[in-house]
Amino acid sequence: MIEEFSFENYKSFKEMNTLNMTAAKLKSKYSRVDVDPTIQLGDDVTLLKSKAIYGANASGKSNIVKAFGSFIRIVQHSVKDEQILEKHMAPFFLSTETFDKPVFMQLVFRCEGVRYRYGFQADRERIHSEWLYATPGKREQPYFIRDNDTLIKINKKNFSEADVVMKLIDNEKGNPIFRKNSLFLTSLAAFGVGKISKMLLNEIARFMVVDGLKHPGAFDQTTASLEMPGMKKLVQTFLAMADAGINELKTIEVPDENVGESGNLAKKRKIVVAVKDVYDANHKLFSTMPFPFSLFESEGTNKMYEISTFIINALREGRVLVIDEFDARFHPLITQKIVELFNSQGNKNGQLIFVTHDTNLLSADLLRRDQIDFVEKDTYGSSHLYTLVQFKGVRDNDPFEKNYIKGKYGAIPFVGDFNNLFAHFEDAEA
């Protein structure tokens, strides 16, 4: 579970910004009594089950999702992929102040009942600093602190792999356990000497980041899950709840058309089909017929199919799901029901963070004030993330959607007069 994710000098974000999943101490009660949008932890910390992010086009909303995705990929692959920093470290280029500064990323999360704060600073070539803090008791303690290629602090008492690490590392010989462009945490997990490091790496790898327009591999992932009867039933139930008109999903084998002239003509590939009812002239059930899913279903139904396993896994396994373009191709009632699903009492530990333009969700009947964030760019091209709770005088029964459209919370486009386009037609033709 995530408490907060902070980042600085990344793409359109020049200054430090924090996506906070800690529930605010609101004096007024949540308007709905049939749901519980928070996760209560044992140490009086309350986390949010969902967070909506609004803003104008090109305001920087998607860069929050990209920052989170970059953090996860660097943690996962910094040992195996020597170009990982070059691929994902993208500083703010609209200011000379940030040209040569590293990107800052830090995640505060819970794992096995312990609060961890892990982060690093890096540019496209090297890791400048890295740190891991934990709170196994009442006080936060540093587990390790790295400065460039040197470990300047390590906790031998609580960081269980510390003794092994110290034997492998000799600062005078250049710290052979990690490269300048690889993370120490990832290195420990890769070398197999770190129990805590491996656990934290696995936990971070469980966070799911999804592109809501067309996520690579999502369709194939869901199709593969149909081989498991339990997951197949859940996916079918999920689509039925969305009124997709599908009785059953099946996978069938067909000849692979991409094997080439010299290829094996007997080679098969699996496709997913949707089984639907066929009626006669008297509207009586005549038979059922399979239809290739990707060809005959709408873009919205295809997206629902693609992200179904992500949503199911987040709810079943208590995982974090971050979705960009959440409302794309979805009817407003669908997005509303998915948010309600995460806010429901049935969801114990799953968290949903989503970027959206769907203002129908801006209602106190669905989201608390601390569940609504906005992104806005200043005149210098720098994005800023803030929450509705920061606005004084906003009540839970205020019309959030109406006030947002009116610009009371900012984060809307400054739309000009589109009719001026007609005045330029003659110039364009000349």
Side-chain angles (χ1 to χ4, degrees):
M1 294 177 288
I2 293 178
E3 285 192 27
E4 60 183 48
F5 175 62
S6 301
F7 50 98
E8 180 182 19
N9 190 29
Y10 180 82
K11 289 187 178 289
S12 62
F13 288 88
K14 178 185 177 184
E15 300 170 352
M16 183 75 73
N17 285 263
T18 297
L19 179 68
N20 197 337
M21 294 299 290
T22 303
K25 295 181 179 180
L26 303 178
K27 293 182 179 180
S28 54
K29 294 183 179 180
Y30 187 59
S31 58
R32 292 180 61 172
V33 295
D34 59 327
V35 297
D36 184 5
T38 62
I39 303 167
Q40 184 69 47
L41 302 183
D43 53 358
D44 296 328
V45 174
T46 306
L47 303 182
L48 298 170
K49 292 180 179 178
S50 64
K51 171 83 75 169
I53 303 174
Y54 287 87
N57 293 112
S59 62
K61 302 184 303 299
S62 294
N63 287 337
I64 299 173
V65 178
K66 291 176 182 176
F68 195 71
S70 294
F71 176 87
I72 296 171
R73 291 183 181 92
I74 293 170
V75 172
Q76 283 185 283
H77 305 298
S78 69
V79 170
K80 298 178 181 178
D81 188 352
E82 293 194 29
Q83 282 77 47
I84 193 73
L85 295 181
E86 185 178 347
K87 295 175 183 176
H88 292 283
M89 289 292 92
F92 182 76
F93 283 122
L94 300 183
S95 172
T96 56
E97 295 179 83
T98 53
F99 282 169
D100 300 321
K101 286 186 177 181
V103 176
F104 174 99
M105 291 183 174
Q106 178 177 268
L107 181 69
V108 180
F109 62 108
R110 299 278 172 150
C111 185
E112 299 293 334
V114 177
R115 180 183 187 267
Y116 291 94
R117 178 165 63 90
Y118 172 70
F120 56 85
Q121 286 183 298
D123 58 27
R124 292 175 180 267
E125 297 180 353
R126 66 179 300 113
I127 307 294
H128 289 253
S129 61
E130 183 183 1
W131 56 91
L132 174 64
Y133 288 79
T135 312
K138 294 183 178 181
R139 294 183 179 181
E140 184 182 66
Q141 302 177 19
Y143 273 24
F144 75 80
I145 301 174
R146 168 187 178 179
D147 182 17
N148 289 305
D149 295 336
T150 304
L151 284 176
I152 60 175
K153 191 175 185 63
I154 193 160
N155 188 323
K156 293 183 179 182
K157 180 180 178 181
N158 294 97
F159 196 40
S160 61
E161 50 258 45
D163 290 337
V164 179
V165 172
M166 295 305 292
K167 293 177 182 178
L168 290 172
I169 293 179
D170 184 346
N171 287 330
E172 294 181 359
K173 296 181 180 180
N175 296 337
I177 197 171
F178 55 80
R179 304 185 315 268
K180 67 176 183 178
N181 58 350
S182 67
L183 292 170
F184 181 56
L185 186 73
T186 315
S187 300
L188 287 178
F191 273 81
V193 297
K195 181 180 178 181
I196 294 178
S197 302
K198 185 66 175 178
M199 178 187 69
L200 297 183
L201 197 74
N202 290 339
E203 183 65 22
I204 292 173
R206 294 177 73 245
F207 300 153
M208 300 174 290
V209 181
V210 179
D211 186 340
L213 289 175
K214 190 67 178 178
H215 189 75
F219 192 95
D220 292 338
Q221 175 179 312
T222 301
T223 301
S225 73
L226 299 182
E227 301 297 325
M228 298 178 287
M231 182 60 78
K232 178 181 178 179
K233 185 176 181 180
L234 286 171
V235 172
Q236 289 178 163
T237 302
F238 189 72
L239 292 176
M241 292 171 60
D243 194 27
I246 297 171
N247 292 346
E248 186 182 2
L249 295 171
K250 290 183 177 181
T251 54
I252 60 174
E253 289 188 340
V254 298
D256 193 342
E257 300 174 354
N258 300 318
V259 295
E261 295 181 2
S262 60
N264 183 4
L265 297 178
K267 187 176 180 181
K268 305 287 185 179
R269 64 185 177 91
K270 288 185 178 182
I271 65 169
V272 60
V273 296
V275 180
K276 297 192 175 187
D277 293 333
V278 178
Y279 298 88
D280 62 17
N282 296 317
H283 303 294
K284 292 184 177 181
L285 182 63
F286 177 72
S287 65
T288 58
M289 184 177 295
F291 294 88
F293 198 97
S294 59
L295 295 177
F296 285 87
E297 298 302 326
S298 69
E299 290 289 337
T301 302
N302 268 275
K303 176 180 174 179
M304 182 66 66
Y305 175 80
E306 290 175 356
I307 71 170
S308 61
T309 52
F310 293 102
I311 292 173
I312 291 168
N313 288 334
L315 293 169
R316 287 181 74 191
E317 302 172 9
R319 297 169 68 176
V320 177
L321 174 59
V322 184
I323 304 181
D324 194 10
E325 301 290 352
F326 174 58
D327 56 306
R329 304 190 181 106
F330 277 171
H331 190 279
L333 285 178
I334 298 296
T335 56
Q336 177 183 326
K337 291 301 180 182
I338 294 174
V339 175
E340 287 180 344
L341 196 60
F342 275 86
N343 282 346
S344 68
Q345 295 179 354
N347 174 27
K348 302 304 180 183
N349 295 312
Q351 289 178 298
L352 173 67
I353 301 168
F354 61 95
V355 171
T356 182
H357 289 290
D358 186 357
T359 58
N360 292 286
L361 304 177
L362 283 173
S363 168
D365 289 333
L366 188 64
L367 296 171
R368 293 166 29 134
R369 283 179 288 144
D370 52 1
Q371 290 180 285
I372 302 171
D373 279 13
F374 302 104
V375 181
E376 187 173 60
K377 268 187 181 178
D378 61 28
T379 55
Y380 302 102
S382 178
S383 299
H384 301 273
L385 176 66
Y386 55 96
T387 179
L388 185 57
V389 174
Q390 295 175 230
F391 288 84
K392 294 182 179 180
V394 178
R395 297 171 296 180
D396 288 334
N397 59 354
D398 283 352
F400 297 158
E401 179 183 18
K402 182 179 179 181
N403 289 344
Y404 172 62
I405 296 298
K406 285 185 175 181
K408 288 189 176 182
Y409 311 137
I412 60 172
F414 297 99
V415 181
D417 186 358
F418 275 63
N419 287 320
N420 288 335
L421 185 64
F422 293 112
H424 295 282
F425 280 180
E426 292 184 3
D427 295 336
E429 292 174 358

